[in-house]
Amino acid sequence: MGSYWGDVAEKGISWSLVRHNMKLLSNIAPSFTVYGNHDKRAGTAQLARILRESGVQLLQDNVEYLKSGNDRLSLIGMDYRSKQGDVLLEQIGDSFCKIAIVHDPLQALRLEQNADLILSGHTHGGQLVLPFFGPVFLSKAYRPISNGWYSLKHNPEDIDQEGKMLVSRGYGTNHLPLRLGCPAEMHIITLRVPTEKVLTEKRGCPISQKNG
């Protein structure tokens, strides 16, 4: 989400549009965000104020605990290019399901501590994707993780790490205001409480996902 608002700022679109969309989100449900690279370039002072006024909580290397009945999970927001991600994850331990928001998927893959789910973006899915050639604007480092679901295992023998990462194509653009072979997307992710058997055997945070 973060880079979309930075795109808006860099392209000179009215901040009132940003404020309007933020309020729509926060009226639907509690809303959280992290900064992306475009936000940093555009300047964060005005965006931070709009976030506060709109009721959207900015997570900058901090943790928010979410509750539903007796269930509780941790939402970790990591600032763009921050080095504090492993510290935050280690402090939480394994008592809670850990969901991390990390704008850059390469930053996410450098984490050593376990997470159940990482939500990421940054790539725009490549934005312009040509048959046989692939993404036009996406650097080589990001091509293996351009969009979709990925395992967080560092190697196949890793039995402790069961987490997944979702890299979203999102709905913003970069360089050119168009997409080709790479439709915009949003996600509805459902978290389900593990059965008693699963809980006694291993820690889990079962996830199902729907694209839209």
Side-chain angles (χ1 to χ4, degrees), residues 4-18 42 46:
Y4 171 75
W5 308 116
D7 289 346
V8 168
E10 286 188 336
K11 293 167 185 173
I13 300 174
S14 171
W15 281 109
S16 63
L17 175 62
V18 179
Q46 190 167 8

Side-chain angles (χ1 to χ4, degrees), residues 68 70-72 190-196 198-199 204-207:
S68 177
N70 294 324
D71 301 316
R72 193 179 183 191
T190 303
L191 304 178
R192 292 189 171 89
V193 178
T195 63
E196 184 176 351
V198 173
L199 283 171
C205 187
I207 299 160

Side-chain angles (χ1 to χ4, degrees), residues 131-147:
F132 307 109
F133 179 82
V136 175
F137 295 130
L138 203 57
S139 67
K140 184 178 180 180
Y142 289 97
R143 290 193 174 213
I145 49 170
S146 63
N147 69 97

Side-chain angles (χ1 to χ4, degrees), residues 69-209:
N70 294 324
D71 301 316
R72 193 179 183 191
L73 61 81
S74 57
L75 183 66
I76 307 104
M78 301 180 190
D79 202 12
Y80 181 64
R81 291 189 173 175
S82 169
K83 306 293 186 182
Q84 299 303 307
D86 280 320
V87 175
L88 293 168
L89 291 170
E90 186 175 20
Q91 288 175 347
I92 296 168
D94 293 333
S95 300
F96 301 99
C97 176
K98 293 185 283 189
I99 300 177
I101 309 174
V102 188
H103 177 77
D104 187 333
L106 286 184
Q107 177 182 336
L109 291 179
R110 295 187 188 104
L111 296 170
E112 295 294 333
Q113 294 294 319
N114 290 350
D116 295 291
L117 172 64
I118 294 180
L119 303 176
S120 191
H122 185 66
T123 67
H124 300 268
Q127 188 175 322
L128 300 180
V129 181
L130 302 179
F132 307 109
F133 179 82
V136 175
F137 295 130
L138 203 57
S139 67
K140 184 178 180 180
Y142 289 97
R143 290 193 174 213
I145 49 170
S146 63
N147 69 97
W149 287 95
Y150 302 91
S151 172
L152 292 174
K153 287 180 180 290
H154 291 285
N155 61 73
E157 289 74 34
D158 188 351
I159 60 174
D160 295 323
Q161 175 60 278
E162 298 177 340
K164 297 181 183 299
M165 176 173 69
L166 173 62
V167 181
S168 176
R169 295 193 298 264
Y171 46 88
T173 58
N174 194 18
H175 300 293
L176 297 172
L178 59 88
R179 286 178 173 267
L180 178 66
C182 182
E185 65 181 354
M186 62 175 292
H187 308 269
I188 299 174
I189 300 172
T190 303
L191 304 178
R192 292 189 171 89
V193 178
T195 63
E196 184 176 351
K197 180 180 179 181
V198 173
L199 283 171
T200 57
E201 291 180 351
K202 59 184 178 179
R203 180 178 59 86
C205 187
I207 299 160
S208 66
Q209 187 259 0

